[in-house]
Amino acid sequence: MNPFEIVREQIDLVELAREYTEMRPSGRAYVGSCPHSDHEDRTPSFHVYPDRRFRCYGCGFRGDATDLWATVNGVESGMMAVLDLARAYEVELPDLDP
């Protein structure tokens, strides 16, 4: 399993999103206002789905826990974000070989 999959499996995306916006259940998803700083979301359009992915139907922001973390914390997306998120949530990752 790669670092992205490990983080995706071990971090609850709804709980992560709740750190930045209020979330409520809506069918199989959770819905809240978009936490993206470039989007003033007056009508909740940010959806978190059971497959551990999210999408904002207002601004098009989408991804997984790593993408959300990178955007709301101003961290470079990709490996830097997954390492920072894993460190913040104390998720152990295998040693990476560059």
Side-chain angles (χ1 to χ4, degrees), residues 36-96:
H36 196 289
S37 62
D38 293 340
H39 182 203
E40 285 189 36
D41 195 8
R42 295 185 181 139
T43 303
S45 57
F46 179 78
H47 292 68
V48 174
Y49 295 101
D51 69 351
R52 298 184 172 106
R53 302 277 181 185
F54 69 83
R55 178 173 183 185
C56 176
Y57 289 92
C59 70
F61 179 41
R62 69 170 92 193
D64 63 10
T66 304
D67 299 306
L68 179 61
W69 181 263
T71 299
V72 298
N73 289 290
V75 177
E76 186 178 330
S77 62
M79 190 56 74
M80 293 304 293
V82 80
L83 293 173
D84 193 53
L85 179 57
R87 198 173 11 255
Y89 280 81
E90 299 179 355
V91 173
E92 282 196 42
L93 298 175
D95 290 335
L96 303 175

Side-chain angles (χ1 to χ4, degrees), residues 7-17 48 52 65 89:
V7 165
R8 199 176 299 128
E9 288 290 321
Q10 293 190 26
I11 294 176
D12 183 333
L13 181 54
V14 173
E15 291 304 314
L16 176 61
V48 174
R52 298 184 172 106
Y89 280 81

